[in-house]
């Protein structure tokens, strides 16, 4: 069926390409052009990962039911002397008072809180109601503006005028007090800021990775035409990913992290799949041309081809016949390619998609969004490889056997021929395999030892949600957030918070008990908030999650909740840990079944799972070494003080996508080994010839995807740096040490039982096995 599909697409290439152009045009018009009202970037959110738990319940109790339908902006002023009494003074305070009066007149503004308008206590001290809006040292204030929302969304008609008035006040304040720190910020502006950084990172990653990918493919194929076809597929995949994410944004919140993760995965897979298809096509087309000599007109043409219209036996007719004959050979080569390499793409893509489906067992919406988006982009990558690329081959396939322009350059031509995509029968990988097969068990143990050493930092890994503390310096709201955290601690969300439903005395006793815990620096006295006693707990930097666990380990007898951002982080991490075993089980079982159906063996799937697990451990070890321990802070330009461990979201995505990519290369290699074994070669020879025929493509594809991930790791979002580096290391290890050395050595060590399966499974493979 795949053979017929490939020939059909190549023969009707014009219609197929027009259909692709129309679909991609719609995706671009909606997701980037905003013809439906908003662009994809305007619909992104940046609320961060959350789950239902004790911390979210505490937040609801503290906020109350009436505070869920508003958003707020604040004018931050620090470094000026403030009067304790009401406003009205000239200078900065009068500017704040005038802005407050104007803001109250704007439709949609529900409240304007100016601490200078709150009367002082009889003894002259600030009113506690104003404390949250005043700097503890008395040198700053916050003017807070609350705005109503509709269905959870803040209208630009409200946000715009409020923002403009606050910025005008900020400009006046900077003139009146040049030495003061003046910033305007809030959640809506923070989201816009992070979305802008994500968009810039996406553009930067594409500008770096796409040209480098083209350069590598030029080295592989030796010409712009062959190199350009996989790149066209990759661009189509990116546009398709943007279009699908835009559609899903109407069904769920799409975070900035989701956009960049899905885009980089789609780009990498599309380049890999396109490279495999084009390389196999050149191999099959060349083989067909060599073993099928041209027939004199009007002799029979290639099997399955259409005979040309009979003409007079002139030279012109013979030339026409030869062109038609070669064209039909090209169509058959496309069919064979889709039936072989296309089948590999289909199986590996399905394996990757199923691995990401395992993410649906997790509770956080952001992970489910990534799962849905990843499955969609994998399907798009498969479609580009099985439909778009064959259509392009239908147009340009006959020219791909001609030497590329770069091969004609003296000195460069020989190099390109040596490192080209079509491997000779004897080469580096066949020699390497024979060397490995001399002492396969010893080499396998050495390879595993190397991976275990690289993974050893995992023993000291601390899993904690660090994304909220890692706002990049390039974000326009970085100054506001930094000034707020440094000078207005009571205005920031509590790291750890005690909420008690009891009397004041019992709540105070609990607060005193918590104050005695290690790493706790201060605990405020309980304050009545919405009928509950609330205390704020201050902790040492990065020690909040451990303090939360200690508090929850020794609970009081009355109704209570431990909340705050660090408590929410603990709930989030625990939620992922609860879902991890189920996700791992789903991924392992489905992968085992697919590899069994492909090979008919139970040993091959088991070894693939074990080797991939060890390899992923090595990549996570590098992640811990580089980020948690801070060794890559200088190279990647991040502040190690903002990182206390490995973010659970990053860890989840690295393990899932790293496994999916590992199975990609496993499929690439196994398909060729199985192909040679089915042709009658013994196991050792099949491993040798399989690696020799696929080694170049696996290494080349791995190099490209490493460069793609590394390109996206140069962005400013810390989570993308971590994901990019970890996946780049995972692919680099998998495409070199694992596939070229470890897999051949392990398979050779197990050659006597490699293709074994219980007898009761033989009928299942005979009936449902994945074969031609």
């Amino acid at each position: 069926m795949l053979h017929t599909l490939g020939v059909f697409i190549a023969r009707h290439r014009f219609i197929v390409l027009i259909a692709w152009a129309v679909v991609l045009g719609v995706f671009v018009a909606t997701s980037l052009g905003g013809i439906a009202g908003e662009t994809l970037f305007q619909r992104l959110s940046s609320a961060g990962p959350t789950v239902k738990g004790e911390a979210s319940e505490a937040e609801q109790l503290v906020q109350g039911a009436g505070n869920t339908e508003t958003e707020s902006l604040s004018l931050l002023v620090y470094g000026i002397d403030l009067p304790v009494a009401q406003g009205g003074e000239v200078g900065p305070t009068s500017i704040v008072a005038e802005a407050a009066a104007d803001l109250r007149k704007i439709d949609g503004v529900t409240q304007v809180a100016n601490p200078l308008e709150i009367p002082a206590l009889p003894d002259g001290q600030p009113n506690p109601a104003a404390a949250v809006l005043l700097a503890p040292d008395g040198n700053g204030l916050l003017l807070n503006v609350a705005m109503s929302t509709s269905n959870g969304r803040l209208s630009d008609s409200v946000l715009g005028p409020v923002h403009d008035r606050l910025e005008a006040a900020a400009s006046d304040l900077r003139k009146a007090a040049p030495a003061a720190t003046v910033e305007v910020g809030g959640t809506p502006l923070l989201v816009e800021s992070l979305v802008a950084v994500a968009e810039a990172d996406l553009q930067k990653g594409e500008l770096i990775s796409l040209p480098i990918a083209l350069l590598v493919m030029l080295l592989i194929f030796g010409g712009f035409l062959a190199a350009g076809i996989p790149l066209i597929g990759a661009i189509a995949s990116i546009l398709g990913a943007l279009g699908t994410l835009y559609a899903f944004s109407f069904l769920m919140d799409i975070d900035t992290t989701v956009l960049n993760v899905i885009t980089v995965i789609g780009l990498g897979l599309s380049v890999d799949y396109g490279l495999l298809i084009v390389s196999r096509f050149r191999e099959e087309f060349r083989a067909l041309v060599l073993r099928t000599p041209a027939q004199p007109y009007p002799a029979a043409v290639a099997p399955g081809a259409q005979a040309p219209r009979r003409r007079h036996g002139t030279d012109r007719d013979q030339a026409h016949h030869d062109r038609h004959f070669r064209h039909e050979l090209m169509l058959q080569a496309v069919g064979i390619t889709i039936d072989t390499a296309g089948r590999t793409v289909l199986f590996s893509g399905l394996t990757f998609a199923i691995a990401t489906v395992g993410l649906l067992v997790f509770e956080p919406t952001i992970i489910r969004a990534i799962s849905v988006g990843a499955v969609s982009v994998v399907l798009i990558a498969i479609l580009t490889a099985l439909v778009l690329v064959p259509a392009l081959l239908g147009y340009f396939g006959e020219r791909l056997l001609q030497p590329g322009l770069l091969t004609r350059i003296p000195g460069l031509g020989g190099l390109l021929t040596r490192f080209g995509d079509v491997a000779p029968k004897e080469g580096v990988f066949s020699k390497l395999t024979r060397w490995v097969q001399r002492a396969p068990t010893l080499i396998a143990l050495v390879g595993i030892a190397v991976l275990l050493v690289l993974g050893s930092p995992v023993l000291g890994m601390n899993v904690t949600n660090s994304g909220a503390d890692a706002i990049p310096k390039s974000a326009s709201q970085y100054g506001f957030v930094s000034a707020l955290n440094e000078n207005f601690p009571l205005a920031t969300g509590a790291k750890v918070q005690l909420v008690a439903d009891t009397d004041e005395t019992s709540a105070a006793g609990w607060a005193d008990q918590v104050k005695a815990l290690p790493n706790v620096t201060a605990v405020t006295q309980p304050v009545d908030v919405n009928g509950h006693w609330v205390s704020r707990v201050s902790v040492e930097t990065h020690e909040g999650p451990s303090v939360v666990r200690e508090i929850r380990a020794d609970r009081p007898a009355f109704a209570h909740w431990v909340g705050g951002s660090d408590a929410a982080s603990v709930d989030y991490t625990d939620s992922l840990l609860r879902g991890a075993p189920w996700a791992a089980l789903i991924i392992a079982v489905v992968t085992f079944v697919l590899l069994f159906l492909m090979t008919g063996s139970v040993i091959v799937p088991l070894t693939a799972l074990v080797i991939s697990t060890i390899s992923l451990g090595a990549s996570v070890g590098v992640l811990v070494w580089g980020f948690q321990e801070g060794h890559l802070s200088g190279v990647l330009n991040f502040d190690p003080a903002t990182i206390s461990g490995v973010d659970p979201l990053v860890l989840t995505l690295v393990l899932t996508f790293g496994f999916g990519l590992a199975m990609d290369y496993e499929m690439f290699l196994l398909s060729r080994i199985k192909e040679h074994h089915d042709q009658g070669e013994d196991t050792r020879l099949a491993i040798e010839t399989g690696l020799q025929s696929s080694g170049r493509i696996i290494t080349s594809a791995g190099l490209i995807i490493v460069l793609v991930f590394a390109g996206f790791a140069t962005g400013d979002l810390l989570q993308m740096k971590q994901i990019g580096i970890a996946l780049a290391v995972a692919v680099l290890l998998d495409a070199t040490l694992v596939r070229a050395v470890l897999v051949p050595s392990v398979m050779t060590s197990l050659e006597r039982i490699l293709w074994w399966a219980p007898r009761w499974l033989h009928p299942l493979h005979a009936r449902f096995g994945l074969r031609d």
Side-chain angles (χ1 to χ4, degrees):
M1 184 179 70
L2 289 178
H3 180 280
T4 304
L5 176 66
V7 174
F8 177 84
I9 290 172
R11 193 182 301 277
H12 300 87
R13 51 198 175 274
F14 180 77
I15 297 175
V16 173
L17 291 177
I18 289 296
W20 270 96
V22 171
V23 172
L24 293 179
V26 172
F27 284 171
V28 171
T30 53
S31 63
L32 299 180
I35 63 171
E38 292 179 304
T39 67
L40 172 61
F41 293 99
Q42 291 172 329
R43 296 190 59 82
L44 293 179
S45 65
S46 187
T50 57
V51 295
K52 293 181 179 179
E54 184 176 345
S56 64
E57 292 178 6
E59 182 181 12
Q60 291 175 358
L61 293 173
V62 172
Q63 288 185 346
N67 294 328
T68 59
E69 298 297 327
T70 62
E71 291 278 8
S72 65
L73 290 185
S74 297
L75 172 64
L76 181 152
V77 187
Y78 183 77
I80 59 174
D81 293 328
L82 296 177
V84 177
Q86 296 184 3
E89 295 82 356
V90 295
T93 55
S94 63
I95 295 174
V96 173
E98 290 175 4
D102 291 341
L103 288 164
R104 291 189 178 97
K105 301 175 183 177
I106 298 176
D107 291 337
V109 172
T110 59
Q111 184 183 33
V112 177
N114 180 3
L116 299 181
E117 297 175 349
I118 301 176
L121 296 177
D123 61 359
Q125 294 300 313
N127 193 315
V132 70
L133 301 176
L134 293 172
D137 59 7
N139 292 327
L141 64 83
L142 290 171
L143 176 66
N144 186 263
V145 185
M147 299 163 286
S148 62
T149 62
S150 176
N151 296 323
R153 298 181 69 88
L154 179 62
S155 172
D156 290 338
S157 62
V158 178
L159 177 62
V162 171
H163 185 206
D164 292 343
R165 185 61 185 91
L166 289 175
E167 285 291 356
S171 178
D172 293 339
L173 286 166
R174 293 186 185 104
K175 295 176 182 177
T181 299
V182 182
E183 300 285 348
V184 175
T187 301
L189 298 184
L190 180 60
V191 172
E192 289 183 4
S193 174
L194 292 177
V195 169
V197 173
E199 186 175 2
D201 282 0
L202 182 61
Q203 295 173 352
K204 182 179 181 181
E206 291 171 349
L207 289 176
I208 292 175
S209 58
L210 288 177
I212 293 178
L214 177 61
L215 183 62
V216 173
M217 285 188 288
L218 283 174
L219 182 63
I220 296 169
F221 292 120
F224 287 95
L225 186 58
I229 290 177
L231 205 59
I232 292 174
I235 293 173
S237 179
I238 292 175
L239 298 178
L242 295 178
T244 54
L245 286 177
Y246 179 79
F248 280 121
S249 71
F250 290 91
L251 303 176
M252 62 180 68
D253 291 334
I254 301 295
D255 189 87
T256 53
T257 303
V258 177
L259 172 66
N260 284 10
V261 168
I262 297 307
T263 301
V264 70
I265 291 297
L267 175 60
L269 289 179
S270 294
V271 171
D272 269 8
Y273 295 163
L275 183 64
L276 180 64
I277 294 294
V278 173
S279 174
R280 187 62 181 260
F281 168 78
R282 281 158 56 102
E283 178 183 338
E284 296 296 342
F285 191 18
R286 183 178 286 111
L288 278 178
V289 170
L290 290 177
R291 69 172 179 256
T292 311
Q295 301 295 321
Y297 177 84
V301 295
Q306 297 178 359
R309 183 170 57 90
R310 186 175 184 87
R311 301 186 182 186
H312 296 291
T314 62
D315 292 340
R316 180 179 178 183
D317 293 331
Q318 181 65 49
H320 174 79
H321 167 72
D322 291 342
R323 288 194 300 271
H324 183 87
F325 184 82
R326 188 179 178 89
H327 179 74
E328 291 297 331
L329 286 180
M330 182 272 295
L331 295 179
Q332 295 304 311
V334 173
I336 296 172
T337 298
I338 300 304
D339 199 33
T340 52
R343 189 178 299 274
T344 301
V345 166
L346 181 61
F347 295 158
S348 63
L350 289 177
T351 303
F352 194 103
I354 291 170
T356 57
V357 167
L359 294 175
L360 290 175
V361 303
F362 294 108
E363 181 184 348
T365 304
I366 185 174
I367 294 185
R368 293 184 176 184
I370 289 176
S371 176
V372 173
V375 171
S376 301
V377 80
V378 170
L379 295 179
I380 292 173
I382 294 174
L383 285 175
T384 59
L386 299 185
V387 180
L388 179 60
V389 172
L392 293 172
L393 291 176
Y395 265 111
F396 306 112
E398 295 181 54
R399 298 169 56 184
L400 295 186
L401 291 189
Q402 301 173 8
L405 180 63
L406 297 181
T407 60
R408 304 171 189 173
I409 301 177
L412 185 60
L415 180 66
L416 294 175
T417 301
R418 183 177 181 182
F419 294 101
D421 59 309
V422 180
K425 293 184 178 181
E426 178 71 15
V428 173
F429 290 99
S430 59
K431 294 176 182 178
L432 177 62
T433 303
R434 287 196 296 271
W435 175 80
V436 167
Q437 290 177 337
R438 294 175 185 174
T441 303
L442 176 61
I443 292 176
L445 292 175
V446 172
I448 292 173
V450 170
L451 293 177
L452 291 176
V453 170
L454 289 175
S456 59
V458 171
L459 298 176
M461 180 174 64
N462 179 33
V463 180
T464 180
N465 184 13
S466 59
D469 297 325
I471 298 174
K473 293 182 179 180
S474 60
S476 60
Q477 285 286 285
Y478 179 80
F480 173 81
V481 173
S482 299
L484 187 69
N485 290 333
E486 182 177 353
N487 303 310
F488 298 87
L490 295 180
T492 61
K495 294 287 187 179
V496 182
Q497 194 173 51
L498 308 178
V499 181
D501 189 5
T502 183
D503 57 81
E504 183 177 4
T505 303
S506 299
W510 186 31
D512 292 337
Q513 179 183 343
V514 170
K515 188 175 181 179
L517 294 176
N519 300 313
V520 174
T521 59
V523 180
T524 63
Q525 287 301 307
V527 177
D528 188 355
V529 179
N530 295 323
H532 300 277
W533 294 103
V534 179
S535 295
R536 188 184 183 101
V537 182
S538 300
V539 298
E540 298 286 353
T541 304
H542 300 323
E543 297 297 332
S546 63
V547 170
V548 169
R549 295 189 186 279
E550 286 192 62
I551 297 173
R552 290 178 175 177
D554 185 14
R555 295 181 177 274
F558 50 82
H560 66 281
W561 298 263
V562 181
S565 59
D566 283 336
S569 174
V570 170
D571 292 343
Y572 171 68
T573 302
D574 289 347
S575 171
L576 293 185
L577 293 177
R578 287 194 301 270
W582 290 106
L585 180 63
I586 292 172
I587 293 171
V589 169
V590 174
T591 302
F592 181 91
V593 171
L594 282 176
L595 288 178
F596 166 73
L597 294 177
M598 179 181 179
T599 63
S601 165
V602 297
I603 305 300
V604 171
L606 287 175
T607 58
L609 290 171
V610 173
I611 292 174
S612 295
T613 300
I614 298 174
S615 178
L616 285 175
S619 65
V620 175
V622 174
L623 175 66
V624 174
W625 176 84
F627 289 91
Q628 179 178 315
E629 299 179 8
H631 294 288
L632 294 178
S633 59
V635 176
L636 295 176
N637 190 30
F638 66 87
D639 183 4
T642 62
I643 302 176
S644 59
V646 176
D647 192 293
L649 173 64
V650 171
L651 182 62
T652 303
L653 297 183
V654 166
L655 292 176
T656 303
F657 292 145
F659 181 84
L661 291 168
M663 287 301 102
D664 253 9
Y665 300 123
E666 182 77 11
M667 290 285 190
F668 290 0
L669 178 58
L670 279 180
S671 64
R672 298 309 292 260
I673 293 176
K674 185 69 165 56
E675 184 178 322
H676 288 285
H677 186 265
D678 290 344
Q679 292 172 358
E681 296 180 1
D682 61 51
T683 299
R684 284 197 170 220
L685 182 58
I687 294 171
E688 175 188 332
T689 53
L691 184 59
Q692 174 60 22
S693 59
S694 63
R696 286 190 179 189
I697 289 302
I698 291 176
T699 304
S700 301
L703 175 60
I704 291 174
I705 206 167
V706 165
L707 295 173
V708 168
F709 287 141
F712 278 83
T714 61
D716 293 322
L717 291 175
L718 183 60
Q719 286 183 333
M720 281 306 300
K721 288 180 184 289
Q722 295 176 337
I723 294 171
I725 291 299
L727 289 180
V729 171
V731 172
L732 180 63
L733 290 174
D734 201 87
T736 53
L737 175 62
V738 173
R739 298 301 152 204
V741 178
L742 191 55
V743 168
S745 62
V746 171
M747 293 183 74
T748 303
S749 300
L750 301 172
E751 61 177 319
R752 293 184 178 180
I753 61 171
L754 187 64
W755 306 106
W756 178 83
R759 290 186 177 179
W760 60 272
L761 287 178
H762 292 177
L764 290 177
H765 181 261
R767 181 172 182 179
F768 302 106
L770 305 177
R771 57 175 65 86
D772 295 350

